Amino acid sequence: MSIVAGCDVGSLTSKAVIMNGQKIIGSAIIRSKARPEESAMAAMDEALGSAAKAAAMDKPLAAAGTTLNQIAYSVGTGYGRDKIPFINETRSEIACHGKGARWMVPTVRTVIDIGGQDCKAIKLNDAGEVENFITNDKCASGTGRFLEVMADVLNVGIHELGEMSARARSPIMLASTCTVWAQADVIKYLNSGYLLEDIGAGINSAMAKRVAILANTIKVEKEICMTGGVAKNSGVVATLEKILGHRIRKIRRADPQLAGAIGAAVFAFEKLNGQQGEKI
Amino acid sequence: MFDSFYEATTTIFNQSIQAWKESGKKVVGYTCSYVPAEIFFAADILPVRIRGIETEGMDIGDAYFGPFICSFPKCILQLAGKGKYRFLDGAIITPGCDAMRRLDECWRKAGEDYQGIVPPFFYYFDVPHKTLPHGMKWFQEEIRYLIDFVQKHFGLSISDEALRKAIALYNQGRQMLRELEEIRTRADVPITGTEAFAVTVAGTVMPRDVYTEKLGRLLESLKTRPPVSAGKKRLMVIGSISDDIEIVELIEKNPNALVVAENLCFGVRYEGNLVAETGDPVMAMAESYLGECTCPRMFGKYPERLEILKEKIAAAAIDGVIMQNIRFCDLHGSEHGLLERDLEKAGIPCLKIEREYGPLTDTGRMQMRIQAFLERISK
């Protein structure tokens, strides 16, 4: 079996995944650096390190190479894709998120990916190929950056925002589309003494509404799954389910934030094994 | 071969306009392909399309237009405010769309604050949205009024004979542009989309006789030029006004992409219909210019526009259509919603991109969408 890798250099985070056949043997999610080359190298180093650790604990995987030279083929994606030094080819994040989501949920037909400054809704056909997609063109208010800004204002970690929706009694309403003005609204609510969880729930709802507008444009079909870091926010997911009127399949096979990098690695695997060869 | 076309396309005050001015003759700018340029050529005045390239900021455009308006007329106003259009002896504003129509008032208002930026001949040329007989009658009157004003303002006379000669010359160019369009529909295409768009845009800012002569030589040279289309996806670009070759260039940066057709205002769309060379030239111009229906400003013509587009798509064996619209472009923004549904239903993949006009700021985001689209149609 050959080792393949996928590297997704995004605007906020960079991800790397190393795969051996159908198994992820190493992965990493790091904060993106100023230069995409640095981000890619740092993410890959960390992924290689995690592969080495996994190999040390799991004897059957000890054969897995843990140096860059032993990776037979790798694919890059994300904004910095053209600057990743060690890859063999690039693919768009649309294709990679579609491919990665398909690998995690084989029955998926609609992928909603929320990245750092991008929000995408991707429709896949029966074969798992991209049939149609739409991305946010107007502004970046329905993206991960929006949640980051809001979490900073509330002085909580971004991972803490999600569960606030479940605890909220009367979520606030955020009318402003602009992230900066929504931030001003949040500050106003804080100054007026509103509960943190009510504000957090309002933030999650505002986010979900923006994403729903995009998703509805391409008419979602089941199964639906969410990828990207925001998929880990249970508040956004729950509100989105309500608005779309569909359940969103929970991804358990891997961290949904890794979807783009996984998709890239799967493309690398397919390339190595020929288009007609084994499909993961 | 392409140098003079590129120079004309990428420079507002290009060499041929400079040469024209140096010979002591007048130049009039116009903002819309519904203005019969023959009128000016017949008067020995150089008609040039008013453009938005070379904009470096938006402080003047934003100050008079406000934020939620298409950036194309704002760029024009910005350039006017910066004095880039001082070489114009006249300008014609039309209701191509509401944003362009407001350019009239905004430019005049800016002229109160920036001395000398409003050309001495500043004319609002109305264009009906309907081609029904009463619309045609109105448009004929508009053309006659315009001719009258040009004659009075510049102290000259435009004879029917001069108009017919200008019409014949412009028709020659139209035929050549159609030939260029046809060459690009072939399996082996000898010209890139960027080159072809540069050639086409140049036609809006060069003296027509100079242009047709150059275009004739180009068409001749294409007969022996090796193809550039091997292994590439054949794309068509449609949508909002664009006089900037960078947008086509951006698409063709993808090694497997070739733009073989377009339907843009500064592109093949301005060639419109051939104008009758006999009979009343004003009536002939009215019928062919207003009868042109590929601009979404025209009311009730959507089915025809869709049909024309489908024909072009079939003729050029298009793999995918890229619909780009400038933010806040009502005409193309809403048209794309309709076209996407109808074309996708007909099995033609479409990509909708919303962008700002001006120096391409969203290249990273746009390139990702284009790459994803190419992946989609390369299966």
Side-chain angles (χ1 to χ4, degrees):
Chain A
M1 274 202 282
S2 304
I3 313 284
V4 292
C7 187
D8 176 5
V9 177
S11 58
L12 290 182
T13 58
S14 295
K15 288 75 70 176
V17 163
I18 302 165
M19 288 177 104
N20 187 345
Q22 298 232 29
K23 197 165 176 61
I24 295 176
I25 57 168
S27 68
I29 300 172
I30 63 155
R31 190 82 190 170
S32 288
K33 300 172 186 304
R35 300 262 172 226
E37 307 86 312
E38 293 171 27
S39 303
M41 289 309 294
M44 203 62 196
D45 276 349
E46 204 169 302
L48 288 165
S50 77
K53 263 191 221 154
M57 286 189 290
D58 186 351
K59 286 285 183 268
L61 280 178
T66 51
T67 66
L68 213 45
N69 305 340
Q70 285 160 298
I71 292 169
Y73 204 84
S74 54
V75 169
T77 188
Y79 284 117
R81 63 189 178 281
D82 294 325
K83 296 284 181 203
I84 303 174
F86 51 80
I87 52 162
N88 302 88
E89 66 171 281
T90 67
R91 298 299 291 256
S92 75
E93 24 315 21
I94 305 282
C96 289
H97 277 275
K99 186 64 87 176
R102 182 88 174 180
W103 181 86
M104 295 191 277
V105 179
T107 51
V108 69
R109 294 297 294 267
T110 308
V111 184
I112 297 167
D113 169 67
I114 309 176
Q117 61 184 25
D118 244 338
C119 178
K120 321 170 185 76
I122 307 163
K123 258 175 114 160
L124 304 176
N125 62 15
D126 284 341
E129 296 158 330
V130 175
E131 196 175 66
N132 200 359
F133 66 91
I134 185 162
T135 53
N136 60 318
D137 271 326
K138 290 229 170 1
C139 83
S141 74
T143 64
R145 190 73 190 137
F146 175 86
L147 288 186
E148 273 203 345
V149 168
M150 297 308 166
D152 280 350
V153 177
L154 298 186
N155 205 11
V156 298
I158 192 159
H159 55 278
E160 295 173 72
L161 267 180
E163 45 83 40
M164 286 186 180
S165 290
R167 289 190 286 115
R169 293 269 176 83
S170 49
I172 58 150
M173 283 281 290
L174 281 179
S176 301
T177 308
C178 166
T179 303
V180 177
W181 289 339
Q183 183 183 0
D185 285 345
V186 166
I187 291 167
K188 183 196 74 185
Y189 282 115
L190 280 171
N191 293 346
S192 307
Y194 281 73
L195 294 173
L196 274 195
E197 53 263 38
D198 286 346
I199 301 174
I203 290 166
N204 294 335
S205 289
M207 172 93 184
K209 281 175 193 161
R210 303 214 210 309
V211 177
I213 291 167
L214 201 68
N216 277 328
T217 311
I218 63 159
K219 295 200 180 82
V220 297
E221 282 176 39
K222 288 199 291 194
E223 298 274 343
I224 306 163
C225 76
M226 260 179 91
T227 60
V230 179
K232 295 187 254 190
N233 178 314
S234 56
V236 173
V237 175
T239 316
L240 201 51
E241 285 179 328
K242 244 185 246 153
I243 300 171
L244 296 177
H246 288 291
R247 298 281 305 162
I248 292 173
R249 272 285 299 269
K250 207 162 171 54
I251 292 176
R252 299 183 197 282
R253 199 174 173 186
D255 184 333
Q257 199 168 358
L258 288 171
I262 292 171
V266 174
F267 273 124
F269 176 88
E270 287 178 0
K271 185 84 176 196
L272 209 57
N273 292 274
Q275 290 300 333
Q276 304 311 313
E278 186 190 348
K279 290 251 174 163
I280 292 181
Chain B
M1 177 165 65
F2 290 98
D3 286 0
S4 57
F5 291 120
Y6 271 110
E7 191 276 333
T9 299
T10 55
T11 321
I12 285 183
F13 192 35
N14 66 50
Q15 284 167 9
S16 55
I17 299 176
Q18 287 174 41
W20 187 276
K21 287 290 284 186
E22 279 160 18
S23 69
K25 294 195 279 189
K26 306 285 185 194
V27 178
V28 167
Y30 62 104
T31 57
C32 170
S33 58
Y34 281 75
V35 177
E38 287 95 332
I39 294 169
F40 296 94
F41 203 80
D44 205 22
I45 293 169
L46 176 63
V48 296
R49 280 290 291 265
I50 298 177
R51 313 180 49 192
I53 55 164
E54 296 182 17
T55 314
E56 287 169 351
M58 202 65 102
D59 52 313
I60 300 170
D62 274 336
Y64 296 90
F65 262 111
F68 303 113
I69 303 280
C70 163
S71 36
F72 185 68
K74 284 205 275 191
C75 281
I76 291 175
L77 185 58
Q78 179 74 22
L79 294 170
K82 292 281 182 193
K84 285 239 182 192
Y85 280 121
R86 283 181 192 275
F87 68 85
L88 290 180
D89 301 289
I92 311 278
I93 310 292
T94 72
C97 63
D98 278 355
M100 290 302 273
R101 194 192 80 66
R102 301 301 301 191
L103 184 59
D104 185 279
E105 287 94 341
C106 293
W107 197 335
R108 286 178 201 271
K109 180 54 73 179
E112 295 171 14
D113 302 325
Y114 297 88
Q115 291 309 304
I117 65 158
V118 179
F121 174 80
F122 198 75
Y123 189 89
Y124 181 77
F125 179 70
D126 217 342
V127 183
H129 290 274
K130 290 180 180 174
T131 55
L132 298 169
H134 63 275
M136 214 44 101
K137 191 163 164 271
W138 166 17
F139 194 49
Q140 272 186 57
E141 278 180 22
E142 277 294 332
I143 295 174
R144 289 189 205 282
Y145 274 122
L146 175 61
I147 292 171
D148 270 356
F149 267 87
V150 171
Q151 291 182 138
K152 278 193 193 103
H153 179 88
F154 293 102
L156 45 85
S157 112
I158 302 169
S159 68
D160 280 5
E161 197 42 45
L163 279 172
R164 282 193 204 98
K165 271 172 82 173
I167 287 168
L169 176 68
Y170 270 75
N171 277 345
Q172 203 187 341
R174 288 183 182 109
Q175 299 276 31
M176 286 178 175
L177 284 168
R178 285 177 186 193
E179 197 182 325
L180 178 64
E181 216 182 342
E182 188 279 320
I183 287 168
R184 295 169 70 202
T185 64
R186 297 173 192 172
D188 290 332
V189 185
I191 183 168
T192 67
T194 311
E195 289 167 338
F197 194 51
V199 168
T200 315
V201 173
T204 66
V205 287
M206 269 182 171
R208 193 70 171 195
D209 49 350
V210 174
Y211 180 64
T212 42
E213 191 260 326
K214 282 181 190 290
L215 192 52
R217 275 189 285 142
L218 174 85
L219 291 172
E220 194 53 42
S221 71
L222 288 181
K223 287 177 183 168
T224 53
R225 201 176 187 223
V228 291
S229 47
K232 300 206 175 191
K233 287 287 156 193
R234 302 168 66 94
L235 300 173
M236 179 187 217
V237 182
I238 65 169
S240 294
I241 199 160
S242 183
D243 60 336
D244 191 342
I245 57 170
E246 276 189 22
I247 190 152
V248 183
E249 219 166 11
L250 182 76
I251 295 164
E252 291 188 328
K253 275 185 181 161
N254 292 281
N256 61 335
L258 186 73
V259 174
V260 297
E262 43 87 1
N263 200 36
L264 297 166
C265 186
F266 269 86
V268 291
R269 248 178 47 197
Y270 77 77
E271 74 191 62
N273 304 315
L274 290 175
V275 183
E277 293 177 28
T278 53
D280 175 11
V282 170
M283 196 184 288
M285 287 189 291
E287 279 172 359
S288 69
Y289 273 90
L290 195 67
E292 202 284 325
C293 67
T294 52
C295 179
R297 75 177 297 282
M298 296 309 288
F299 171 79
K301 297 285 182 183
Y302 174 74
E304 287 170 50
R305 286 197 289 276
L306 176 66
E307 225 34 61
I308 289 168
L309 213 50
K310 279 184 174 172
E311 279 167 23
K312 285 187 177 203
I313 288 165
I318 296 295
D319 296 308
V321 177
I322 295 180
M323 307 171 161
Q324 52 81 34
N325 77 278
I326 298 172
R327 210 153 290 162
F328 310 117
C329 176
D330 301 342
L331 287 180
H332 291 280
S334 48
E335 184 93 339
H336 288 169
L338 310 179
L339 284 174
E340 187 184 32
R341 280 166 181 77
D342 286 332
L343 293 178
E344 287 274 0
K345 206 191 295 173
I348 301 150
C350 299
L351 170 69
K352 274 200 303 189
I353 296 179
E354 192 167 89
R355 66 184 187 97
E356 281 293 359
Y357 175 83
L360 281 174
T361 48
D362 294 346
T363 48
R365 294 171 58 248
M366 276 173 69
Q367 197 57 285
M368 186 274 281
R369 287 154 178 71
I370 294 162
Q371 188 183 355
F373 183 61
L374 285 164
E375 285 165 346
R376 178 192 160 193
I377 63 178
S378 300
K379 287 187 303 236

